[in-house]
């Protein structure tokens, strides 16, 4: 019997209890590292902080509660380019809603979007204008979460963008928008270039493009942009160890990530500490602690921490390469801690919307969902 490889199959998250029991057993048996006194986060995630968070994960956090919340969203899988792709597909009750594909990054997942899907799809029920409604498609990137591990090399960001174009075609959407942050802020503009005949606009949170090395590009920066450039340079000097490892030896670090939930917790929580609102002392001061643990649990329970890390290795060759100019209308929302510089964004993209915020951070869908939703609505309002 011939198998329909383009079929779209309903999906429901159902983690076996044995996996949850195994997680708790591993957490309780953690062999903790030593740590130096009075160094804070400067050497990495503090063990003293991590012990408390791991104990909460083991004894107080309820995966079943959050699994049920995720299952409130209609979910599906399909096979694209030989790879399983899982996605949320939440249709708006408004008949003239615009399709919008939203893309997470690392160390994120579809869990990031739990608080923005309702306002985006049903603004009428959330105090908004029904004319701003979207049908939301939120895929798990290949190698991440319920899309399962990748089974071959070559799944870089351009290939993911091509898969997204196929997904939207398969769903029957002829005209749609794209939004993304982190890796999604790279993939979404790529999607606009690859499928410019169907993508009406691209909105990203964070930044568009990277400095080319041309001094003229940085000649007329605002005071805020000068501060962001300095912060970017500090991060390049001190905050990219995770990226160097994942882009060179993801399989090596993946052994620890696949075997130790405490190790995976430390690896991801450090990014939340570094990338959330700089005004927040701890990650849970910026994002809901249990939502963050749900995100981390997805990596653990799907056994995809290693394959997710491989995305850095796959994409390494294209880092910093010049992009073909795109005339697709683009919007940028810059939150504290991100590195948006308008002159760089306008070099390769048709920027028609630019917003800067004084609260939030790298995970705005989790930190400040109200601000992100309002900005996405405002940008696409002119493109409907």
């Amino acid at each position: 019997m011939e198998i329909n490889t383009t079929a779209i199959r309903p999906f429901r998250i159902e983690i076996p209890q044995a996996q949850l029991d195994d997680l708790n057993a591993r957490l309780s048996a953690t062999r903790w590292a030593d740590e130096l006194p009075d160094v804070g986060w400067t050497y990495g995630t503090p063990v003293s902080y991590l012990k408390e968070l791991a104990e909460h994960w083991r004894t107080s956090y309820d995966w079943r509660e959050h699994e049920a919340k995720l299952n409130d969203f209609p979910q599906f899988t399909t096979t694209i380019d030989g790879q399983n792709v899982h996605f949320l597909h939440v249709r708006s009750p408004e008949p003239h809603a615009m399709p919008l594909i939203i893309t997470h990054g690392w160390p994120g997942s579809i869990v990031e979007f739990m608080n923005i899907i309702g306002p985006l799809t049903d603004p009428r029920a959330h105090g908004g204008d029904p004319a701003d409604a979207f049908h939301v498609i939120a895929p798990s990137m290949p190698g991440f979460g319920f899309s399962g591990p990748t089974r071959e090399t070559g799944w870089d960001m351009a290939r993911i963008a091509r898969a997204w174009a196929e997904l939207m075609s398969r769903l029957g959407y002829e005209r749609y928008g794209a939004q993304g942050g982190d890796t999604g802020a790279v993939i979404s503009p790529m999607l606009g270039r690859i499928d410019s005949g169907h993508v009406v606009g691209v909105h990203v949170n964070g930044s568009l493009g990277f400095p080319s090395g041309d001094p003229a590009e940085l000649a007329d920066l605002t005071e805020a942009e000068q501060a962001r450039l300095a912060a970017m340079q500090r991060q390049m000097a001190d905050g990219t160890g995770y990226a160097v490892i994942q882009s060179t030896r993801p399989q090596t670090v993946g052994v620890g990530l696949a075997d130790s939930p405490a190790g995976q917790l430390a690896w991801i929580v450090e990014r939340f500490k570094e990338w959330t609102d700089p005004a927040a002392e701890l990650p849970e001061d910026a994002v809901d602690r249990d939502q963050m643990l749900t995100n981390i649990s997805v990596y653990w329970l799907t056994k995809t921490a290693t394959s997710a890390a491989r995305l850095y290795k796959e994409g390494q060759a294209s880092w910093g390469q010049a992009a073909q100019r795109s005339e697709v209308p683009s919007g940028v929302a810059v939150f504290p801690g991100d590195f948006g510089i308008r002159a760089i964004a306008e070099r390769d993209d048709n920027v028609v919307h630019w917003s800067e915020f004084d609260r939030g951070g790298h995970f705005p869908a989790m930190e400040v969902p109200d601000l992100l939703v309002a900005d996405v609505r405002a940008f696409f309002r002119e493109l409907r």
Side-chain angles (χ1 to χ4, degrees):
M1 182 176 69
E2 184 176 349
I3 298 175
N4 180 5
T5 58
T6 64
I8 295 174
R9 303 170 292 271
F11 180 84
R12 183 174 177 83
I13 302 169
E14 295 177 321
I15 298 298
Q17 184 60 40
Q19 284 189 238
L20 302 179
D21 295 340
D22 176 71
L23 168 60
N24 290 341
R26 287 171 182 264
L27 286 170
S28 66
T30 300
R31 188 173 73 164
W32 294 102
D34 71 302
E35 63 180 337
L36 297 171
D38 305 320
V39 296
W41 289 76
T42 59
Y43 280 65
T45 309
V47 172
S48 52
Y49 167 77
L50 199 62
K51 283 182 177 179
E52 293 180 9
L53 188 59
E55 185 64 9
H56 175 77
W57 194 13
R58 187 179 73 85
T59 61
S60 301
Y61 170 81
D62 184 356
W63 164 259
R64 293 299 185 204
E65 174 190 341
H66 299 281
E67 181 183 67
K69 290 179 180 178
L70 285 169
N71 280 329
D72 284 340
F73 300 116
Q75 299 173 59
F76 304 86
T77 61
T78 191
T79 303
I80 301 177
D81 196 9
Q83 173 66 34
N84 178 62
V85 173
H86 163 266
F87 60 100
L88 309 183
H89 186 194
V90 187
R91 291 188 60 84
S92 172
E94 304 297 338
H96 302 295
M98 174 185 284
L100 178 69
I101 183 168
I102 56 179
T103 306
H104 64 83
W106 183 92
S109 70
I110 56 163
V111 172
E112 286 183 63
F113 306 133
M114 293 175 72
N115 296 329
I116 66 170
I117 290 175
L120 288 174
T121 58
D122 194 2
R124 189 191 303 267
H126 292 82
D129 185 344
D132 288 329
F134 297 93
H135 302 305
V136 170
I137 302 88
S140 299
M141 286 197 295
F144 287 68
F146 300 101
S147 285
T150 46
R151 303 295 184 186
E152 60 182 359
T153 59
W155 274 102
D156 60 7
M157 289 176 281
R159 189 173 177 182
I160 294 172
R162 291 192 295 271
W164 282 188
E166 169 60 24
L167 175 61
M168 296 303 279
S169 174
R170 200 171 287 185
L171 293 174
Y173 291 131
E174 291 293 318
R175 186 174 184 274
Y176 64 93
Q179 200 284 329
D182 192 83
T183 313
V186 179
I187 292 171
S188 297
M190 284 182 173
L191 178 57
R193 289 172 169 82
I194 289 168
D195 202 21
S196 59
H198 299 104
V199 176
V200 300
V202 172
H203 181 280
V204 303
N205 50 275
S207 61
L208 272 174
F210 300 94
S212 66
D214 180 0
E217 196 171 71
L218 306 175
D220 299 309
L221 300 186
T222 66
E223 185 176 337
E225 288 175 332
Q226 291 173 1
R228 286 183 212 129
L229 181 63
M232 181 191 302
Q233 291 167 339
R234 288 194 299 272
Q235 176 159 315
M236 294 301 294
D238 185 57
T240 58
Y242 76 96
V244 172
I245 292 172
Q246 293 192 158
S247 63
T248 56
R249 298 296 183 269
Q251 208 64 37
T252 303
V253 70
V255 173
L257 297 177
D259 187 61
S260 168
Q264 185 182 270
L265 184 66
W267 192 246
I268 292 181
V269 163
E270 184 192 81
R271 293 301 94 209
F272 275 85
K273 162 63 178 174
E274 293 290 325
W275 292 346
T276 49
D277 192 326
E281 182 177 350
L282 294 173
E284 59 263 39
D285 296 331
V287 301
D288 179 80
R289 180 168 59 172
D290 280 2
Q291 189 183 12
M292 180 175 67
L293 286 173
T294 301
N295 178 71
I296 294 168
S297 296
V298 166
Y299 280 84
W300 178 262
L301 296 171
T302 59
K303 305 176 186 178
T304 54
T306 307
S307 59
R310 288 199 293 261
L311 177 65
Y312 281 71
K313 177 74 170 176
E314 299 294 346
Q316 183 187 28
S318 63
W319 287 3
Q321 287 189 355
Q324 177 185 353
R325 171 77 185 176
S326 172
E327 295 304 329
V328 173
S330 300
V332 181
V334 183
F335 293 91
D338 279 332
F339 306 130
I341 294 175
R342 187 156 190 168
I344 294 174
E346 291 178 337
R347 183 189 64 214
D348 300 324
D349 293 273
N350 176 24
V351 177
V352 299
H353 174 96
W354 186 271
S355 300
E356 300 185 8
F357 298 94
D358 60 5
R359 62 185 176 95
H362 194 66
F363 304 94
M366 297 174 71
E367 298 179 68
V368 284
D370 55 330
L371 297 183
L372 180 61
V373 166
D375 204 65
V376 170
R377 288 173 177 169
F379 169 68
F380 283 104
R381 193 173 294 145
E382 305 300 319
L383 302 174
R384 290 178 180 268

